[in-house]
Amino acid sequence: MKKMTSSNTVSSWNEGQVAKWLQDNGFKEYVSIFKRHKIDGYVLITLKESDLRSPPLEIPCLGDIKKISKCIDILLQSENHGSLNINKLCDYQTEGRRTNRVNSTDSNDSVDSLGQGLFEPELWKTAISFIYCFIVMLFTSFVMVIVHDRVPDRRTYPPLPDVVLDHLPMIPWAFDLAELCASFMMFIWIIILFFHKHRFILLRRMFSLSGTIFLLRCCTMLMTSLSVPGEHLHCNPRSYTTREQKMKRTVEIMTGLGMSMQGVRSCGDYMFSGHTCVLTMLNFFITEYSPRGMTTLHTVTWLLNMFGIFFILAAHEHYSIDVFIAFYITSRLFLYYHILANSRSLKSPDYKRTRTWFPMFAFFEGQCLGIVPNEYAWPLPWPELFVNYYRKKRH
């Protein structure tokens, strides 16, 4: 393959330059059909695998469809690094190359330049996302201390009318069951992270999304103080006269993860439900990054999510509007984030708009091109039994 460089951006290529790119990368038989449909650089970088296999292009060879699709990804990545030289990156004849496929792989094997370029772990970004999430959670704990003293007196401001709580008897132990549902889902998620080959990308996404959702929750808690949702809640203001006392209480909430099972009881943090956010986030991450064929697991996590929400309402710990808004915000943010990531929005011609409106997304996802494959591997060099098992699975 020949060297293909240009001082212009890919989107500014004309049809002749696209034809040259196809020839240099071994796809000369498709030059005529690309010219016939007036595919220039702008159109090229918007092509997806479905476009290549469907009319009017309808490329008959599956191998060529996959290769052209990957070459487009690599072309965009090369441009992002400031060079359009893809002579080395797009060489499908290189010895030892293996495609980026969705199956079990051995983590000790070296990743080819194609897969490594598309899904680099970028540990430093994962560390930054963790720090961001940690700071937000600490700030959330501090806000919970502040809003507790602002809860309206229930003798003056009784619980608000609620169409669900007014017809649902209060179950004292239901809130503990909601936290057990969340704990079980967290256990499942930890197992998935342990085996997932791209675990650091998953962690980065979880930390950034969780931090953003709970930062938004801090704003809503500070803006409006709702009366307690149940008569059983005794929320008397606590006299924290010194800064040290407030910080001590903040640390108690933080270390207890805001869970009643850990002895954390707080009031005023109603709009919106943090427990619902955690349940929903775990459900969506588990269903997104577990094998597609594990329908039983996906059904179980959805049931745990719904039952967890029911138990929160049955305990009369939140108004139904708190739970509804929490589920809606968490699910929408998860879906919007992944739609942007999976559609290669940072590599489209109007990528500058995406970077302007979603700077944190652009920072964390700048080097991820396309859908993160659900590949699994044994992450440790021992025991040898598991290492050999995953090596055989790969072959």
Side-chain angles (χ1 to χ4, degrees):
M1 294 182 188
K2 299 178 182 179
K3 184 176 179 179
M4 180 69 181
T5 60
S6 174
S7 58
N8 300 323
T9 60
V10 179
S11 58
S12 66
W13 283 5
N14 56 36
E15 296 173 23
Q17 288 173 299
V18 172
K20 180 75 161 58
W21 178 78
L22 287 169
Q23 291 175 348
D24 287 349
N25 288 282
F27 307 117
K28 61 182 180 180
E29 63 268 33
Y30 304 119
V31 169
S32 59
I33 192 172
F34 270 60
K35 283 186 174 181
R36 187 184 316 138
H37 294 288
K38 300 180 180 180
I39 296 179
D40 55 12
Y42 182 88
V43 178
L44 177 67
I45 60 179
T46 63
L47 289 179
K48 296 182 174 61
E49 189 175 311
S50 57
D51 299 321
L52 298 173
R53 67 171 71 248
S54 305
L57 293 180
E58 208 168 4
I59 294 177
C61 179
L62 177 61
D64 286 344
I65 292 174
K66 295 289 186 180
K67 290 177 181 179
I68 293 175
S69 178
K70 289 299 183 184
C71 271
I72 292 173
D73 286 340
I74 296 169
L75 182 66
L76 290 169
Q77 185 190 20
S78 301
E79 181 184 22
N80 188 53
H81 287 296
S83 172
L84 298 183
N85 182 358
I86 61 166
N87 179 48
K88 181 178 180 181
L89 287 175
C90 208
D91 188 356
Y92 285 94
Q93 303 303 321
T94 302
E95 184 178 359
R97 184 197 64 80
R98 56 186 177 89
T99 57
N100 204 8
R101 60 195 182 279
V102 182
N103 60 359
S104 299
T105 59
D106 190 343
S107 62
N108 292 320
D109 291 340
S110 59
V111 181
D112 63 302
S113 59
L114 175 61
Q116 190 174 25
L118 294 178
F119 305 109
E120 295 179 357
E122 297 182 289
L123 299 182
W124 65 281
K125 285 187 179 181
T126 304
I128 291 176
S129 67
F130 171 78
I131 294 172
Y132 165 69
C133 185
F134 179 84
I135 292 174
V136 169
M137 293 304 176
L138 188 62
F139 181 62
T140 301
S141 301
F142 179 73
V143 170
M144 291 172 66
V145 175
I146 300 300
V147 299
H148 184 97
D149 293 337
R150 296 173 51 195
V151 177
D153 189 344
R154 64 176 178 168
R155 291 170 295 186
T156 307
Y157 302 96
L160 299 172
D162 189 289
V163 68
V164 176
L165 300 189
D166 292 346
H167 298 86
L168 183 64
M170 197 273 289
I171 305 175
W173 40 264
F175 202 59
D176 289 340
L177 286 182
E179 293 183 345
L180 285 174
C181 289
S183 301
F184 183 68
M185 291 171 72
M186 177 60 73
F187 175 73
I188 297 174
W189 175 236
I190 291 173
I191 293 176
I192 292 175
L193 283 175
F194 182 80
F195 287 100
H196 206 287
K197 184 178 177 181
H198 306 290
R199 61 187 65 86
F200 293 107
I201 297 177
L202 273 56
L203 280 172
R204 186 162 66 243
R205 292 179 173 182
M206 183 185 70
F207 289 143
S208 59
L209 281 171
S210 299
T212 301
I213 290 170
F214 276 86
L215 185 60
L216 179 59
R217 182 171 180 257
C218 289
C219 297
T220 58
M221 286 192 296
L222 285 170
M223 286 178 181
T224 304
S225 295
L226 301 177
S227 57
V228 295
E231 294 288 351
H232 67 291
L233 296 173
H234 301 283
C235 297
N236 299 319
R238 300 177 182 178
S239 56
Y240 295 114
T241 57
T242 64
R243 185 181 302 173
E244 288 73 17
Q245 289 178 325
K246 291 182 179 180
M247 292 307 300
K248 181 180 178 181
R249 178 57 181 166
T250 299
V251 173
E252 289 176 356
I253 296 175
M254 181 75 174
T255 54
L257 302 177
M259 299 175 66
S260 61
M261 292 193 306
Q262 299 289 337
V264 176
R265 300 297 302 180
S266 61
C267 296
D269 56 332
Y270 299 126
M271 183 60 68
F272 42 89
S273 169
H275 282 70
T276 303
C277 291
V278 172
L279 285 164
T280 306
M281 185 70 71
L282 287 171
N283 173 28
F284 274 73
F285 268 100
I286 291 171
T287 54
E288 177 70 18
Y289 294 109
S290 58
R292 293 289 179 265
M294 300 185 68
T295 54
T296 302
L297 174 63
H298 302 161
T299 303
V300 168
T301 55
W302 270 103
L303 288 174
L304 288 172
N305 191 178
M306 295 299 104
F307 272 107
I309 290 175
F310 169 77
F311 289 137
I312 292 171
L313 293 173
H316 287 212
E317 291 286 343
H318 277 282
Y319 290 105
S320 55
I321 188 65
D322 303 345
V323 171
F324 174 79
I325 292 178
F327 180 84
Y328 183 83
I329 289 178
T330 305
S331 60
R332 293 315 97 180
L333 277 180
F334 181 93
L335 293 174
Y336 296 157
Y337 189 101
H338 283 76
I339 288 172
L340 287 172
N342 296 345
S343 63
R344 304 182 300 190
S345 59
L346 292 173
K347 308 305 175 185
S348 62
D350 60 344
Y351 72 94
K352 291 183 179 179
R353 180 181 301 176
T354 305
R355 291 180 182 273
T356 301
W357 284 101
F358 309 103
M360 188 171 66
F361 167 81
F363 172 74
F364 287 129
E365 300 293 331
Q367 299 304 318
C368 287
L369 295 176
I371 301 173
V372 175
N374 285 335
E375 300 176 313
Y376 306 95
W378 181 254
L380 305 175
W382 47 266
E384 194 172 322
L385 174 65
F386 293 106
V387 175
N388 292 335
Y389 171 77
Y390 277 93
R391 184 176 287 118
K392 290 179 181 178
K393 286 281 286 184
R394 177 193 162 215
H395 295 295

